[in-house]
Amino acid sequence: MLKIQDVARHAGVSAATVSRVLNGRATVNPELAARVHAAVVELGYRPNGVARNLRRRQTTLWAVLVSDVGNPFFTSLVRGVEDGGRQFGYSVVLCNTDENRAREAEYIAVALADNMAGIIISPADDATDISALVAAGTAVVTIDRELADTDVDAVLVDNEKGAEQATTHLLDSGYRRIACITGPRRMSTAMERLRGYQRALKSFGVPQDRALIRHADFREDGGYSAMASLLDEGVDFDAVFVANNLMTVGAVECLTEREVTVPDQVGVIGFDDIPWARLFRPSLSYVSQPTYELGRAAAQLLADRIDNPNRPTTRMVLQTELHPRESTRRK
Amino acid sequence: MLKIQDVARHAGVSAATVSRVLNGRATVNPELAARVHAAVVELGYRPNGVARNLRRRQTTLWAVLVSDVGNPFFTSLVRGVEDGGRQFGYSVVLCNTDENRAREAEYIAVALADNMAGIIISPADDATDISALVAAGTAVVTIDRELADTDVDAVLVDNEKGAEQATTHLLDSGYRRIACITGPRRMSTAMERLRGYQRALKSFGVPQDRALIRHADFREDGGYSAMASLLDEGVDFDAVFVANNLMTVGAVECLTEREVTVPDQVGVIGFDDIPWARLFRPSLSYVSQPTYELGRAAAQLLADRIDNPNRPTTRMVLQTELHPRESTRRK
DNA sequence: CTGAAAGCGCTAACAT
DNA sequence: ATGTTAGCGCTTTCAG
């Protein structure tokens, strides 16, 4: 491997000068600079990033911690982070945590050990510990969820309003006995979406009924079981708001299996996009989150934070969008 | 930041000994080792990975180059790579190339500059140039596609057989005028799948007809336009084999829009998985690739190659699986 | 504006 | 088995 000294010798200048030319951090005699560039080309020199990182005590790596890229929500979010990162000269290390705290901690340790410049994290839950990162001065942006005790940049979605939008749409469509399948109590997103649902009911003067509410685990099985329990318990409902994409799929499967017709017997609206949901029959109504933009925004915030570690923390809230389709179109 | 010298001083041993204990590469007096471990804990020491990488001239980073994680085929593949990588102690840098050669070259340069231990690549096309990687001794595994001129490890799918399976299934279901929408001529996967289609027709003694074959770009729009052209040109066909997931979606959309009934007027079978395709109506028949396993296998090969740079190259071929659903179930 | 020299934190060779 | 020493390749003082 060629080193900067080789280039320096070839160009007849000092290594310091080569470095200055290559990094454009200081003014160098144009004639010398030209010689350096020529030497670089002639020798086919490539700077060694690792050595640079050691000396600068900074890498150009970001870690992005999500529960699972397989979830379309995160797929697109990660894509946004990567595109944003590339724009600022960072590469993105993909870290799937499966909502597993040990895995999460492991990845945080790696980010620390490898001196990564920053990390974007969708915390497994409120107990996620990023204190080591903060202590080490690593830039952190949380995405989708907020951390209770730590003051870091966050990119969020207005979950409450989104859920209200969804529920209001059901009410507007004439449904009145509306069930809600949301996520675990310890997850802020689940609770916010539940509140939005309740707010909508209240606005319409529709009575609340605890029997209509189910907490599941944000996964397909969870949605399936929650729907099954609603049906098995003979709960009287004519529509359901499901608080994330995977659970919506599960709930719909359960309905299909039991030959409950959507949207006539039961109207369905989901939260989050599902790829190609328009090909489902009936096609699914849903409230979409700007997942790609979430990723882009997080990247922007992280890059800013790295450049300016002392600026006050930012909290960005993006809005959702309603997509009415067949599953809420009552005849 | 704490360094190894600090630990050494605290434990009353040499830095070399600390290093030996931490890396378990040599036998150390258990008593000394205990002191080292204690010192590490007391001081809260974390080894600096960048320094280690510089000294060892190797990182624990892999780059995975795919066209787009958004494509479910790659989503799951990348997930497989990550899980495999983690098992061997590597982190995975996600690189979306969008089939763009410049972007691809850019990422290869980054992998080289950052001394990444290896790269897993699904080449944009035959012209992808990995010679710099080979020259630098970086371990390379290609996935999904092979590179014409370079002898590197590859993990592939038996595309020809898979396509034959799909087409045979259509023939078994009684369809006889079977169209084929495949990918660009310069992509090996597209041509292999076309050959499989042709082989199946031949086995059944069904005449070939060039009018039934379309080359599109492996994207949703491509599938849509190809289907539109078949219909617009009044080509006589009763079924179609579509050679990848996105094009299948496009083709089905076109059929739905024009109110062509599937599977009665036209039977449809796709190649590649589509998430939750069982919720489509009609549900889609398809031939699946073991995408996750593809990623795992590539990770295994890459780890092996890094440990043993001189072993002969391996070419792994995985098999597809037929999933008959409603879209080929003629009444 | 340019060069010399030191050192980022670690590990591998060598010496004991 | 342990310690000493040198050096991975770069950037950043510090002098001049």
Side-chain angles (χ1 to χ4, degrees), chain A residues 8 12 38 41 50 84 91 94 96 115 129 146 191 197 205 217 236 252 254 258 282 327:
Chain A
V41 173
V50 178
S91 298
L94 176 64
N96 290 110
N115 257 308
D129 181 20
E146 258 176 310
M191 297 315 284
Y197 155 83
D217 68 357
D236 169 40
V252 167
C254 183
R258 310 218 178 175
S327 68

Side-chain angles (χ1 to χ4, degrees), chain A residues 60-213:
Chain A
T60 53
L61 237 37
W62 287 351
V64 54
L65 272 70
V66 296
S67 60
D68 177 17
V69 254
N71 182 330
F73 173 78
F74 290 117
T75 310
S76 153
L77 189 154
V78 164
R79 182 69 218 246
V81 170
E82 201 230 295
D83 286 352
R86 203 186 47 242
Q87 200 182 322
F88 298 112
Y90 295 94
S91 298
V92 169
V93 175
L94 176 64
C95 310
N96 290 110
T97 64
D98 290 322
E99 308 266 355
N100 174 331
R101 232 128 96 200
R103 182 96 40 92
E104 196 176 65
E106 209 176 285
Y107 273 123
I108 290 179
V110 171
L112 236 27
D114 282 356
N115 257 308
M116 298 198 191
I119 121 169
I120 289 176
I121 179 171
S122 171
D125 59 43
D126 297 344
T128 293
D129 181 20
I130 61 160
S131 57
L133 291 166
V134 174
T138 305
V140 178
V141 174
T142 66
I143 202 160
D144 187 39
R145 306 171 200 170
E146 258 176 310
L147 246 29
D149 306 318
T150 13
D151 184 38
V152 296
D153 294 316
V155 183
L156 305 163
V157 159
D158 194 336
N159 286 300
E160 194 166 332
K161 198 190 280 178
E164 188 179 7
Q165 247 179 335
T167 312
T168 301
H169 173 65
L170 287 172
L171 290 161
D172 283 339
S173 308
Y175 297 103
R176 281 298 174 274
R177 293 283 303 167
I178 302 175
C180 173
I181 301 178
T182 188
R185 284 189 183 72
R186 60 181 172 67
M187 289 183 56
S188 57
T189 48
M191 297 315 284
E192 287 159 18
R193 290 173 200 172
L194 176 59
R195 276 202 297 282
Y197 155 83
Q198 292 169 323
R199 204 162 70 185
L201 294 183
K202 200 178 222 172
S203 300
F204 272 69
V206 170
Q208 313 260 344
D209 182 351
R210 305 191 63 130
L212 290 169
I213 296 171

Side-chain angles (χ1 to χ4, degrees), chain A residues 1 46-51 53-54 59-61 67-70 72 75 78-79 82 86 91-96 98 103 106-107 109-110 112-115 132 220 246 249 252-253 256 274-276 278-281, chain B residues 1 46-51 53-54 59-61 67-70 72 75 78-79 82 86 91-96 98 103 106-107 109-110 112-115 132 220 246 249 252-253 256 274-276 278-281:
Chain A
M1 171 169 244
R46 289 173 177 288
N48 179 325
V50 178
N53 291 341
L54 176 59
T59 64
T60 53
L61 237 37
S67 60
D68 177 17
V69 254
T75 310
V78 164
R79 182 69 218 246
E82 201 230 295
R86 203 186 47 242
S91 298
V92 169
V93 175
L94 176 64
C95 310
N96 290 110
D98 290 322
R103 182 96 40 92
E106 209 176 285
Y107 273 123
V110 171
L112 236 27
D114 282 356
N115 257 308
E220 214 171 312
L246 300 183
V249 170
V252 167
E253 283 211 289
T256 308
I274 299 172
W276 304 295
R278 62 184 185 287
L279 297 182
F280 291 8
R281 281 297 165 275
Chain B
M1 169 166 247
R46 289 172 177 290
N48 180 324
V50 178
N53 291 341
L54 176 59
T59 65
T60 53
L61 238 37
S67 60
D68 178 18
V69 253
T75 310
V78 164
R79 182 69 220 246
E82 202 232 294
R86 203 187 47 244
S91 298
V92 169
V93 176
L94 176 64
C95 309
N96 289 110
D98 290 323
R103 182 96 39 93
E106 212 175 281
Y107 273 121
V110 170
L112 238 27
D114 283 355
N115 257 310
E220 213 170 312
L246 300 184
V249 170
V252 167
E253 283 212 287
T256 308
I274 298 172
W276 304 294
R278 63 185 182 286
L279 297 181
F280 293 8
R281 282 295 166 274

